[in-house]
PDB file of all heavy atoms in Angstrom:
ATOM      1  N   ILE F 265      60.160 168.077  61.626  1.00 97.00           N
ATOM      2  CA  ILE F 265      60.167 169.329  60.871  1.00 97.00           C
ATOM      3  C   ILE F 265      59.262 170.360  61.545  1.00 97.00           C
ATOM      4  O   ILE F 265      59.644 171.521  61.725  1.00 97.00           O
ATOM      5  CB  ILE F 265      59.726 169.097  59.409  1.00 97.00           C
ATOM      6  CG1 ILE F 265      60.745 168.231  58.667  1.00 97.00           C
ATOM      7  CG2 ILE F 265      59.550 170.444  58.684  1.00 97.00           C
ATOM      8  CD1 ILE F 265      60.306 167.810  57.279  1.00 97.00           C
ATOM      9  N   ILE F 266      58.060 169.933  61.905  1.00 96.00           N
ATOM     10  CA  ILE F 266      57.097 170.841  62.536  1.00 96.00           C
ATOM     11  C   ILE F 266      57.646 171.394  63.849  1.00 96.00           C
ATOM     12  O   ILE F 266      57.549 172.596  64.133  1.00 96.00           O
ATOM     13  CB  ILE F 266      55.748 170.125  62.761  1.00 96.00           C
ATOM     14  CG1 ILE F 266      55.097 169.799  61.412  1.00 96.00           C
ATOM     15  CG2 ILE F 266      54.811 170.994  63.602  1.00 96.00           C
ATOM     16  CD1 ILE F 266      53.867 168.909  61.515  1.00 96.00           C
ATOM     17  N   LYS F 267      58.241 170.525  64.658  1.00 96.00           N
ATOM     18  CA  LYS F 267      58.820 170.972  65.927  1.00 96.00           C
ATOM     19  C   LYS F 267      59.947 171.978  65.683  1.00 96.00           C
ATOM     20  O   LYS F 267      60.076 172.967  66.409  1.00 96.00           O
ATOM     21  CB  LYS F 267      59.343 169.775  66.710  1.00 96.00           C
ATOM     22  CG  LYS F 267      58.261 168.862  67.271  1.00 96.00           C
ATOM     23  CD  LYS F 267      58.897 167.645  67.923  1.00 96.00           C
ATOM     24  CE  LYS F 267      57.830 166.655  68.401  1.00 96.00           C
ATOM     25  NZ  LYS F 267      58.463 165.426  68.977  1.00 96.00           N
ATOM     26  N   ALA F 268      60.763 171.723  64.671  1.00 96.00           N
ATOM     27  CA  ALA F 268      61.901 172.599  64.375  1.00 96.00           C
ATOM     28  C   ALA F 268      61.452 173.997  63.969  1.00 96.00           C
ATOM     29  O   ALA F 268      62.045 174.995  64.394  1.00 96.00           O
ATOM     30  CB  ALA F 268      62.763 171.987  63.272  1.00 96.00           C
ATOM     31  N   ILE F 269      60.413 174.091  63.149  1.00 96.00           N
ATOM     32  CA  ILE F 269      59.979 175.409  62.669  1.00 96.00           C
ATOM     33  C   ILE F 269      59.087 176.135  63.664  1.00 96.00           C
ATOM     34  O   ILE F 269      58.906 177.352  63.556  1.00 96.00           O
ATOM     35  CB  ILE F 269      59.273 175.312  61.292  1.00 96.00           C
ATOM     36  CG1 ILE F 269      57.968 174.519  61.379  1.00 96.00           C
ATOM     37  CG2 ILE F 269      60.211 174.700  60.256  1.00 96.00           C
ATOM     38  CD1 ILE F 269      57.194 174.491  60.059  1.00 96.00           C
ATOM     39  N   ARG F 270      58.547 175.420  64.639  1.00 95.00           N
ATOM     40  CA  ARG F 270      57.678 176.053  65.629  1.00 95.00           C
ATOM     41  C   ARG F 270      58.376 176.356  66.946  1.00 95.00           C
ATOM     42  O   ARG F 270      57.762 176.941  67.854  1.00 95.00           O
ATOM     43  CB  ARG F 270      56.439 175.184  65.871  1.00 95.00           C
ATOM     44  CG  ARG F 270      55.483 175.184  64.691  1.00 95.00           C
ATOM     45  CD  ARG F 270      54.238 174.368  64.938  1.00 95.00           C
ATOM     46  NE  ARG F 270      53.303 174.520  63.825  1.00 95.00           N
ATOM     47  CZ  ARG F 270      52.172 173.831  63.684  1.00 95.00           C
ATOM     48  NH1 ARG F 270      51.832 172.935  64.598  1.00 95.00           N
ATOM     49  NH2 ARG F 270      51.386 174.038  62.642  1.00 95.00           N
ATOM     50  N   THR F 271      59.627 175.982  67.057  1.00 95.00           N
ATOM     51  CA  THR F 271      60.372 176.279  68.277  1.00 95.00           C
ATOM     52  C   THR F 271      60.593 177.786  68.387  1.00 95.00           C
ATOM     53  O   THR F 271      61.056 178.420  67.436  1.00 95.00           O
ATOM     54  CB  THR F 271      61.726 175.546  68.270  1.00 95.00           C
ATOM     55  OG1 THR F 271      61.496 174.136  68.304  1.00 95.00           O
ATOM     56  CG2 THR F 271      62.575 175.947  69.469  1.00 95.00           C
ATOM     57  N   PRO F 272      60.262 178.395  69.525  1.00 93.00           N
ATOM     58  CA  PRO F 272      60.429 179.844  69.689  1.00 93.00           C
ATOM     59  C   PRO F 272      61.892 180.229  69.839  1.00 93.00           C
ATOM     60  O   PRO F 272      62.766 179.386  70.046  1.00 93.00           O
ATOM     61  CB  PRO F 272      59.637 180.146  70.961  1.00 93.00           C
ATOM     62  CG  PRO F 272      59.670 178.871  71.729  1.00 93.00           C
ATOM     63  CD  PRO F 272      59.649 177.763  70.705  1.00 93.00           C
ATOM     64  N   ALA F 273      62.154 181.529  69.721  1.00 91.00           N
ATOM     65  CA  ALA F 273      63.507 182.054  69.865  1.00 91.00           C
ATOM     66  C   ALA F 273      63.542 183.104  70.960  1.00 91.00           C
ATOM     67  O   ALA F 273      62.535 183.725  71.290  1.00 91.00           O
ATOM     68  CB  ALA F 273      63.989 182.645  68.542  1.00 91.00           C
ATOM     69  N   ILE F 274      64.713 183.319  71.504  1.00 88.00           N
ATOM     70  CA  ILE F 274      64.936 184.332  72.526  1.00 88.00           C
ATOM     71  C   ILE F 274      66.035 185.256  72.034  1.00 88.00           C
ATOM     72  O   ILE F 274      67.098 184.801  71.596  1.00 88.00           O
ATOM     73  CB  ILE F 274      65.321 183.713  73.877  1.00 88.00           C
ATOM     74  CG1 ILE F 274      64.180 182.839  74.411  1.00 88.00           C
ATOM     75  CG2 ILE F 274      65.665 184.781  74.893  1.00 88.00           C
ATOM     76  CD1 ILE F 274      64.486 182.141  75.707  1.00 88.00           C
ATOM     77  N   THR F 275      65.798 186.562  72.095  1.00 81.00           N
ATOM     78  CA  THR F 275      66.776 187.524  71.622  1.00 81.00           C
ATOM     79  C   THR F 275      68.072 187.430  72.416  1.00 81.00           C
ATOM     80  O   THR F 275      68.076 187.082  73.595  1.00 81.00           O
ATOM     81  CB  THR F 275      66.235 188.953  71.715  1.00 81.00           C
ATOM     82  OG1 THR F 275      65.846 189.237  73.062  1.00 81.00           O
ATOM     83  CG2 THR F 275      65.043 189.139  70.804  1.00 81.00           C
ATOM     84  N   TYR F 276      69.163 187.712  71.762  1.00 66.00           N
ATOM     85  CA  TYR F 276      70.479 187.629  72.380  1.00 66.00           C
ATOM     86  C   TYR F 276      71.308 188.827  71.940  1.00 66.00           C
ATOM     87  O   TYR F 276      71.294 189.201  70.770  1.00 66.00           O
ATOM     88  CB  TYR F 276      71.181 186.335  71.967  1.00 66.00           C
ATOM     89  CG  TYR F 276      72.500 186.113  72.645  1.00 66.00           C
ATOM     90  CD1 TYR F 276      72.568 185.505  73.890  1.00 66.00           C
ATOM     91  CD2 TYR F 276      73.678 186.549  72.043  1.00 66.00           C
ATOM     92  CE1 TYR F 276      73.791 185.298  74.505  1.00 66.00           C
ATOM     93  CE2 TYR F 276      74.895 186.362  72.666  1.00 66.00           C
ATOM     94  CZ  TYR F 276      74.949 185.730  73.887  1.00 66.00           C
ATOM     95  OH  TYR F 276      76.158 185.530  74.501  1.00 66.00           O
ATOM     96  N   PRO F 277      71.999 189.490  72.892  1.00 63.00           N
ATOM     97  CA  PRO F 277      72.222 189.125  74.307  1.00 63.00           C
ATOM     98  C   PRO F 277      71.170 189.631  75.273  1.00 63.00           C
ATOM     99  O   PRO F 277      71.289 189.429  76.483  1.00 63.00           O
ATOM    100  CB  PRO F 277      73.569 189.750  74.603  1.00 63.00           C
ATOM    101  CG  PRO F 277      73.581 190.988  73.769  1.00 63.00           C
ATOM    102  CD  PRO F 277      72.843 190.645  72.492  1.00 63.00           C
ATOM    103  N   ILE F 278      70.151 190.334  74.796  1.00 58.00           N
ATOM    104  CA  ILE F 278      69.143 190.893  75.693  1.00 58.00           C
ATOM    105  C   ILE F 278      68.380 189.799  76.425  1.00 58.00           C
ATOM    106  O   ILE F 278      67.992 189.945  77.584  1.00 58.00           O
ATOM    107  CB  ILE F 278      68.165 191.799  74.910  1.00 58.00           C
ATOM    108  CG1 ILE F 278      68.948 192.911  74.198  1.00 58.00           C
ATOM    109  CG2 ILE F 278      67.125 192.393  75.828  1.00 58.00           C
ATOM    110  CD1 ILE F 278      68.095 193.762  73.288  1.00 58.00           C
ATOM    111  N   LYS F 279      68.151 188.690  75.731  1.00 51.00           N
ATOM    112  CA  LYS F 279      67.486 187.532  76.302  1.00 51.00           C
ATOM    113  C   LYS F 279      66.071 187.822  76.774  1.00 51.00           C
ATOM    114  O   LYS F 279      65.660 187.430  77.866  1.00 51.00           O
ATOM    115  CB  LYS F 279      68.315 186.934  77.440  1.00 51.00           C
ATOM    116  CG  LYS F 279      69.658 186.390  76.995  1.00 51.00           C
ATOM    117  CD  LYS F 279      70.388 185.723  78.126  1.00 51.00           C
ATOM    118  CE  LYS F 279      71.739 185.191  77.651  1.00 51.00           C
ATOM    119  NZ  LYS F 279      72.479 184.546  78.752  1.00 51.00           N
ATOM    120  N   ILE F 280      65.338 188.540  75.952  1.00 51.00           N
ATOM    121  CA  ILE F 280      63.927 188.770  76.211  1.00 51.00           C
ATOM    122  C   ILE F 280      63.123 187.897  75.263  1.00 51.00           C
ATOM    123  O   ILE F 280      63.319 187.924  74.059  1.00 51.00           O
ATOM    124  CB  ILE F 280      63.554 190.250  76.006  1.00 51.00           C
ATOM    125  CG1 ILE F 280      64.324 191.128  76.996  1.00 51.00           C
ATOM    126  CG2 ILE F 280      62.050 190.451  76.178  1.00 51.00           C
ATOM    127  CD1 ILE F 280      64.096 192.605  76.795  1.00 51.00           C
ATOM    128  N   ARG F 281      62.211 187.133  75.780  1.00 51.00           N
ATOM    129  CA  ARG F 281      61.440 186.240  74.958  1.00 51.00           C
ATOM    130  C   ARG F 281      60.565 187.014  73.998  1.00 51.00           C
ATOM    131  O   ARG F 281      59.863 187.957  74.380  1.00 51.00           O
ATOM    132  CB  ARG F 281      60.570 185.331  75.818  1.00 51.00           C
ATOM    133  CG  ARG F 281      59.747 184.346  74.992  1.00 51.00           C
ATOM    134  CD  ARG F 281      59.159 183.264  75.836  1.00 51.00           C
ATOM    135  NE  ARG F 281      58.398 182.338  75.040  1.00 51.00           N
ATOM    136  CZ  ARG F 281      58.083 181.139  75.441  1.00 51.00           C
ATOM    137  NH1 ARG F 281      58.461 180.741  76.629  1.00 51.00           N
ATOM    138  NH2 ARG F 281      57.387 180.329  74.668  1.00 51.00           N
ATOM    139  N   ASN F 282      60.631 186.639  72.767  1.00 49.00           N
ATOM    140  CA  ASN F 282      59.820 187.258  71.735  1.00 49.00           C
ATOM    141  C   ASN F 282      58.670 186.327  71.396  1.00 49.00           C
ATOM    142  O   ASN F 282      58.831 185.333  70.706  1.00 49.00           O
ATOM    143  CB  ASN F 282      60.676 187.546  70.491  1.00 49.00           C
ATOM    144  CG  ASN F 282      59.949 188.407  69.477  1.00 49.00           C
ATOM    145  OD1 ASN F 282      58.731 188.481  69.476  1.00 49.00           O
ATOM    146  ND2 ASN F 282      60.710 189.073  68.617  1.00 49.00           N
ATOM    147  N   ASP F 283      57.489 186.643  71.898  1.00 45.00           N
ATOM    148  CA  ASP F 283      56.342 185.770  71.714  1.00 45.00           C
ATOM    149  C   ASP F 283      55.907 185.665  70.262  1.00 45.00           C
ATOM    150  O   ASP F 283      55.247 184.709  69.866  1.00 45.00           O
ATOM    151  CB  ASP F 283      55.161 186.247  72.560  1.00 45.00           C
ATOM    152  CG  ASP F 283      55.423 186.058  74.059  1.00 45.00           C
ATOM    153  OD1 ASP F 283      56.170 185.131  74.396  1.00 45.00           O
ATOM    154  OD2 ASP F 283      54.884 186.845  74.861  1.00 45.00           O
ATOM    155  N   THR F 284      56.306 186.656  69.449  1.00 45.00           N
ATOM    156  CA  THR F 284      55.944 186.604  68.036  1.00 45.00           C
ATOM    157  C   THR F 284      56.675 185.488  67.320  1.00 45.00           C
ATOM    158  O   THR F 284      56.312 185.111  66.219  1.00 45.00           O
ATOM    159  CB  THR F 284      56.258 187.936  67.336  1.00 45.00           C
ATOM    160  OG1 THR F 284      57.678 188.197  67.405  1.00 45.00           O
ATOM    161  CG2 THR F 284      55.507 189.077  67.982  1.00 45.00           C
ATOM    162  N   LEU F 285      57.702 184.992  67.959  1.00 47.00           N
ATOM    163  CA  LEU F 285      58.456 183.911  67.354  1.00 47.00           C
ATOM    164  C   LEU F 285      58.060 182.555  67.907  1.00 47.00           C
ATOM    165  O   LEU F 285      58.831 181.610  67.863  1.00 47.00           O
ATOM    166  CB  LEU F 285      59.961 184.155  67.542  1.00 47.00           C
ATOM    167  CG  LEU F 285      60.543 185.301  66.717  1.00 47.00           C
ATOM    168  CD1 LEU F 285      62.026 185.419  66.976  1.00 47.00           C
ATOM    169  CD2 LEU F 285      60.297 185.121  65.245  1.00 47.00           C
ATOM    170  N   ASN F 286      56.896 182.466  68.457  1.00 54.00           N
ATOM    171  CA  ASN F 286      56.396 181.184  68.901  1.00 54.00           C
ATOM    172  C   ASN F 286      55.817 180.378  67.735  1.00 54.00           C
ATOM    173  O   ASN F 286      54.961 179.552  67.904  1.00 54.00           O
ATOM    174  CB  ASN F 286      55.352 181.360  69.996  1.00 54.00           C
ATOM    175  CG  ASN F 286      55.267 180.126  70.878  1.00 54.00           C
ATOM    176  OD1 ASN F 286      56.021 179.173  70.718  1.00 54.00           O
ATOM    177  ND2 ASN F 286      54.339 180.159  71.803  1.00 54.00           N
ATOM    178  N   ARG F 287      56.235 180.733  66.551  1.00 60.00           N
ATOM    179  CA  ARG F 287      56.156 180.004  65.307  1.00 60.00           C
ATOM    180  C   ARG F 287      54.823 179.393  64.948  1.00 60.00           C
ATOM    181  O   ARG F 287      54.726 178.210  64.688  1.00 60.00           O
ATOM    182  CB  ARG F 287      57.224 178.912  65.310  1.00 60.00           C
ATOM    183  CG  ARG F 287      58.617 179.400  65.604  1.00 60.00           C
ATOM    184  CD  ARG F 287      59.262 180.062  64.512  1.00 60.00           C
ATOM    185  NE  ARG F 287      60.556 180.603  64.907  1.00 60.00           N
ATOM    186  CZ  ARG F 287      61.160 181.612  64.326  1.00 60.00           C
ATOM    187  NH1 ARG F 287      60.558 182.207  63.304  1.00 60.00           N
ATOM    188  NH2 ARG F 287      62.331 182.040  64.724  1.00 60.00           N
ATOM    189  N   THR F 288      53.790 180.211  64.965  1.00 70.00           N
ATOM    190  CA  THR F 288      52.543 179.750  64.370  1.00 70.00           C
ATOM    191  C   THR F 288      52.511 180.086  62.886  1.00 70.00           C
ATOM    192  O   THR F 288      51.660 179.587  62.150  1.00 70.00           O
ATOM    193  CB  THR F 288      51.331 180.382  65.066  1.00 70.00           C
ATOM    194  OG1 THR F 288      51.440 181.806  65.018  1.00 70.00           O
ATOM    195  CG2 THR F 288      51.253 179.919  66.521  1.00 70.00           C
ATOM    196  N   SER F 289      53.421 180.941  62.482  1.00 83.00           N
ATOM    197  CA  SER F 289      53.579 181.273  61.068  1.00 83.00           C
ATOM    198  C   SER F 289      55.044 181.536  60.784  1.00 83.00           C
ATOM    199  O   SER F 289      55.828 181.830  61.682  1.00 83.00           O
ATOM    200  CB  SER F 289      52.748 182.507  60.697  1.00 83.00           C
ATOM    201  OG  SER F 289      53.213 183.663  61.398  1.00 83.00           O
ATOM    202  N   GLY F 290      55.410 181.416  59.506  1.00 92.00           N
ATOM    203  CA  GLY F 290      56.791 181.635  59.121  1.00 92.00           C
ATOM    204  C   GLY F 290      57.703 180.483  59.500  1.00 92.00           C
ATOM    205  O   GLY F 290      57.321 179.561  60.216  1.00 92.00           O
ATOM    206  N   ILE F 291      58.917 180.544  58.995  1.00 94.00           N
ATOM    207  CA  ILE F 291      59.946 179.580  59.387  1.00 94.00           C
ATOM    208  C   ILE F 291      61.191 180.355  59.798  1.00 94.00           C
ATOM    209  O   ILE F 291      61.479 181.425  59.254  1.00 94.00           O
ATOM    210  CB  ILE F 291      60.277 178.578  58.254  1.00 94.00           C
ATOM    211  CG1 ILE F 291      60.786 179.298  56.997  1.00 94.00           C
ATOM    212  CG2 ILE F 291      59.091 177.718  57.929  1.00 94.00           C
ATOM    213  CD1 ILE F 291      61.259 178.336  55.910  1.00 94.00           C
ATOM    214  N   PRO F 292      61.933 179.842  60.772  1.00 94.00           N
ATOM    215  CA  PRO F 292      63.112 180.564  61.249  1.00 94.00           C
ATOM    216  C   PRO F 292      64.249 180.541  60.237  1.00 94.00           C
ATOM    217  O   PRO F 292      64.470 179.534  59.563  1.00 94.00           O
ATOM    218  CB  PRO F 292      63.499 179.796  62.514  1.00 94.00           C
ATOM    219  CG  PRO F 292      62.942 178.426  62.314  1.00 94.00           C
ATOM    220  CD  PRO F 292      61.702 178.575  61.497  1.00 94.00           C
ATOM    221  N   GLU F 293      64.974 181.635  60.124  1.00 92.00           N
ATOM    222  CA  GLU F 293      66.173 181.687  59.296  1.00 92.00           C
ATOM    223  C   GLU F 293      67.379 181.199  60.085  1.00 92.00           C
ATOM    224  O   GLU F 293      67.429 181.327  61.299  1.00 92.00           O
ATOM    225  CB  GLU F 293      66.435 183.117  58.817  1.00 92.00           C
ATOM    226  CG  GLU F 293      65.482 183.625  57.775  1.00 92.00           C
ATOM    227  CD  GLU F 293      65.940 184.931  57.159  1.00 92.00           C
ATOM    228  OE1 GLU F 293      66.952 184.928  56.472  1.00 92.00           O
ATOM    229  OE2 GLU F 293      65.260 185.955  57.373  1.00 92.00           O
ATOM    230  N   GLY F 294      68.326 180.656  59.377  1.00 91.00           N
ATOM    231  CA  GLY F 294      69.578 180.253  60.006  1.00 91.00           C
ATOM    232  C   GLY F 294      69.699 178.774  60.299  1.00 91.00           C
ATOM    233  O   GLY F 294      70.781 178.296  60.651  1.00 91.00           O
ATOM    234  N   LEU F 295      68.605 178.017  60.188  1.00 95.00           N
ATOM    235  CA  LEU F 295      68.657 176.580  60.399  1.00 95.00           C
ATOM    236  C   LEU F 295      69.062 175.878  59.099  1.00 95.00           C
ATOM    237  O   LEU F 295      68.854 176.395  58.006  1.00 95.00           O
ATOM    238  CB  LEU F 295      67.299 176.043  60.870  1.00 95.00           C
ATOM    239  CG  LEU F 295      66.659 176.706  62.088  1.00 95.00           C
ATOM    240  CD1 LEU F 295      65.355 175.999  62.428  1.00 95.00           C
ATOM    241  CD2 LEU F 295      67.610 176.694  63.276  1.00 95.00           C
ATOM    242  N   ALA F 296      69.610 174.689  59.229  1.00 95.00           N
ATOM    243  CA  ALA F 296      70.024 173.921  58.051  1.00 95.00           C
ATOM    244  C   ALA F 296      68.857 173.624  57.124  1.00 95.00           C
ATOM    245  O   ALA F 296      69.035 173.495  55.907  1.00 95.00           O
ATOM    246  CB  ALA F 296      70.699 172.622  58.487  1.00 95.00           C
ATOM    247  N   ILE F 297      67.647 173.517  57.670  1.00 97.00           N
ATOM    248  CA  ILE F 297      66.472 173.180  56.865  1.00 97.00           C
ATOM    249  C   ILE F 297      65.765 174.402  56.287  1.00 97.00           C
ATOM    250  O   ILE F 297      64.832 174.249  55.485  1.00 97.00           O
ATOM    251  CB  ILE F 297      65.443 172.351  57.672  1.00 97.00           C
ATOM    252  CG1 ILE F 297      64.970 173.135  58.899  1.00 97.00           C
ATOM    253  CG2 ILE F 297      66.028 171.003  58.062  1.00 97.00           C
ATOM    254  CD1 ILE F 297      63.825 172.467  59.629  1.00 97.00           C
ATOM    255  N   SER F 298      66.141 175.606  56.680  1.00 96.00           N
ATOM    256  CA  SER F 298      65.388 176.806  56.316  1.00 96.00           C
ATOM    257  C   SER F 298      65.281 176.983  54.813  1.00 96.00           C
ATOM    258  O   SER F 298      64.187 177.154  54.254  1.00 96.00           O
ATOM    259  CB  SER F 298      66.017 178.048  56.951  1.00 96.00           C
ATOM    260  OG  SER F 298      66.042 177.955  58.353  1.00 96.00           O
ATOM    261  N   ASN F 299      66.406 176.966  54.121  1.00 96.00           N
ATOM    262  CA  ASN F 299      66.393 177.159  52.672  1.00 96.00           C
ATOM    263  C   ASN F 299      65.689 176.027  51.947  1.00 96.00           C
ATOM    264  O   ASN F 299      64.976 176.249  50.962  1.00 96.00           O
ATOM    265  CB  ASN F 299      67.820 177.310  52.144  1.00 96.00           C
ATOM    266  CG  ASN F 299      68.405 178.676  52.449  1.00 96.00           C
ATOM    267  OD1 ASN F 299      67.698 179.606  52.828  1.00 96.00           O
ATOM    268  ND2 ASN F 299      69.706 178.802  52.313  1.00 96.00           N
ATOM    269  N   SER F 300      65.877 174.808  52.427  1.00 97.00           N
ATOM    270  CA  SER F 300      65.238 173.653  51.793  1.00 97.00           C
ATOM    271  C   SER F 300      63.722 173.770  51.856  1.00 97.00           C
ATOM    272  O   SER F 300      63.016 173.556  50.864  1.00 97.00           O
ATOM    273  CB  SER F 300      65.697 172.355  52.459  1.00 97.00           C
ATOM    274  OG  SER F 300      67.093 172.147  52.279  1.00 97.00           O
ATOM    275  N   LEU F 301      63.205 174.124  53.033  1.00 97.00           N
ATOM    276  CA  LEU F 301      61.763 174.266  53.194  1.00 97.00           C
ATOM    277  C   LEU F 301      61.228 175.444  52.383  1.00 97.00           C
ATOM    278  O   LEU F 301      60.137 175.368  51.798  1.00 97.00           O
ATOM    279  CB  LEU F 301      61.410 174.438  54.666  1.00 97.00           C
ATOM    280  CG  LEU F 301      61.711 173.239  55.580  1.00 97.00           C
ATOM    281  CD1 LEU F 301      61.356 173.567  57.019  1.00 97.00           C
ATOM    282  CD2 LEU F 301      60.965 171.994  55.119  1.00 97.00           C
ATOM    283  N   ALA F 302      61.979 176.533  52.335  1.00 97.00           N
ATOM    284  CA  ALA F 302      61.569 177.697  51.552  1.00 97.00           C
ATOM    285  C   ALA F 302      61.478 177.345  50.064  1.00 97.00           C
ATOM    286  O   ALA F 302      60.558 177.779  49.369  1.00 97.00           O
ATOM    287  CB  ALA F 302      62.548 178.851  51.769  1.00 97.00           C
ATOM    288  N   ASN F 303      62.428 176.558  49.582  1.00 97.00           N
ATOM    289  CA  ASN F 303      62.407 176.142  48.178  1.00 97.00           C
ATOM    290  C   ASN F 303      61.248 175.199  47.877  1.00 97.00           C
ATOM    291  O   ASN F 303      60.635 175.275  46.814  1.00 97.00           O
ATOM    292  CB  ASN F 303      63.730 175.475  47.810  1.00 97.00           C
ATOM    293  CG  ASN F 303      64.861 176.477  47.675  1.00 97.00           C
ATOM    294  OD1 ASN F 303      64.650 177.628  47.297  1.00 97.00           O
ATOM    295  ND2 ASN F 303      66.081 176.066  47.984  1.00 97.00           N
ATOM    296  N   ILE F 304      60.948 174.313  48.817  1.00 97.00           N
ATOM    297  CA  ILE F 304      59.796 173.424  48.643  1.00 97.00           C
ATOM    298  C   ILE F 304      58.509 174.247  48.574  1.00 97.00           C
ATOM    299  O   ILE F 304      57.626 173.970  47.769  1.00 97.00           O
ATOM    300  CB  ILE F 304      59.731 172.406  49.796  1.00 97.00           C
ATOM    301  CG1 ILE F 304      60.896 171.416  49.690  1.00 97.00           C
ATOM    302  CG2 ILE F 304      58.399 171.648  49.792  1.00 97.00           C
ATOM    303  CD1 ILE F 304      61.070 170.524  50.912  1.00 97.00           C
ATOM    304  N   TYR F 305      58.441 175.283  49.394  1.00 97.00           N
ATOM    305  CA  TYR F 305      57.252 176.144  49.432  1.00 97.00           C
ATOM    306  C   TYR F 305      57.001 176.817  48.085  1.00 97.00           C
ATOM    307  O   TYR F 305      55.846 177.014  47.685  1.00 97.00           O
ATOM    308  CB  TYR F 305      57.420 177.199  50.522  1.00 97.00           C
ATOM    309  CG  TYR F 305      56.133 177.907  50.912  1.00 97.00           C
ATOM    310  CD1 TYR F 305      55.186 177.266  51.700  1.00 97.00           C
ATOM    311  CD2 TYR F 305      55.872 179.213  50.509  1.00 97.00           C
ATOM    312  CE1 TYR F 305      54.009 177.909  52.074  1.00 97.00           C
ATOM    313  CE2 TYR F 305      54.704 179.859  50.873  1.00 97.00           C
ATOM    314  CZ  TYR F 305      53.779 179.205  51.661  1.00 97.00           C
ATOM    315  OH  TYR F 305      52.608 179.847  52.029  1.00 97.00           O
ATOM    316  N   LEU F 306      58.075 177.159  47.379  1.00 97.00           N
ATOM    317  CA  LEU F 306      57.949 177.854  46.101  1.00 97.00           C
ATOM    318  C   LEU F 306      58.169 176.939  44.899  1.00 97.00           C
ATOM    319  O   LEU F 306      58.270 177.423  43.770  1.00 97.00           O
ATOM    320  CB  LEU F 306      58.932 179.029  46.041  1.00 97.00           C
ATOM    321  CG  LEU F 306      58.634 180.215  46.960  1.00 97.00           C
ATOM    322  CD1 LEU F 306      59.695 181.303  46.792  1.00 97.00           C
ATOM    323  CD2 LEU F 306      57.262 180.793  46.680  1.00 97.00           C
ATOM    324  N   SER F 307      58.260 175.642  45.127  1.00 96.00           N
ATOM    325  CA  SER F 307      58.564 174.716  44.035  1.00 96.00           C
ATOM    326  C   SER F 307      57.490 174.725  42.948  1.00 96.00           C
ATOM    327  O   SER F 307      57.800 174.573  41.762  1.00 96.00           O
ATOM    328  CB  SER F 307      58.767 173.296  44.576  1.00 96.00           C
ATOM    329  OG  SER F 307      57.603 172.831  45.245  1.00 96.00           O
ATOM    330  N   SER F 308      56.227 174.915  43.333  1.00 94.00           N
ATOM    331  CA  SER F 308      55.155 174.966  42.330  1.00 94.00           C
ATOM    332  C   SER F 308      55.318 176.184  41.431  1.00 94.00           C
ATOM    333  O   SER F 308      55.066 176.127  40.225  1.00 94.00           O
ATOM    334  CB  SER F 308      53.786 174.992  43.014  1.00 94.00           C
ATOM    335  OG  SER F 308      53.654 176.127  43.861  1.00 94.00           O
TER     336      SER F 308
END
């Protein structure tokens, strides 16, 4: 899980690395686990 949410992304089609997405915070949208983790975060 940690590896999945911390994996960086590269813009497309420009393909410029976005260092802000080197995932020290936040979770990426569009993954199968994204909504599940977001719901766990707000479950309390």
Side-chain angles (χ1 to χ4, degrees):
I265 294 173
I266 293 171
K267 290 175 184 177
I269 65 176
R270 289 182 174 173
T271 295
I274 297 178
T275 57
Y276 185 86
I278 303 174
K279 296 184 180 179
I280 298 176
R281 181 166 181 161
N282 190 339
D283 291 331
T284 62
L285 289 181
N286 205 4
R287 307 283 175 205
T288 56
S289 64
I291 60 174
E293 288 191 67
L295 307 182
I297 60 172
S298 300
N299 284 346
S300 296
L301 295 178
N303 286 329
I304 291 170
Y305 195 75
L306 290 180
S307 60
S308 60

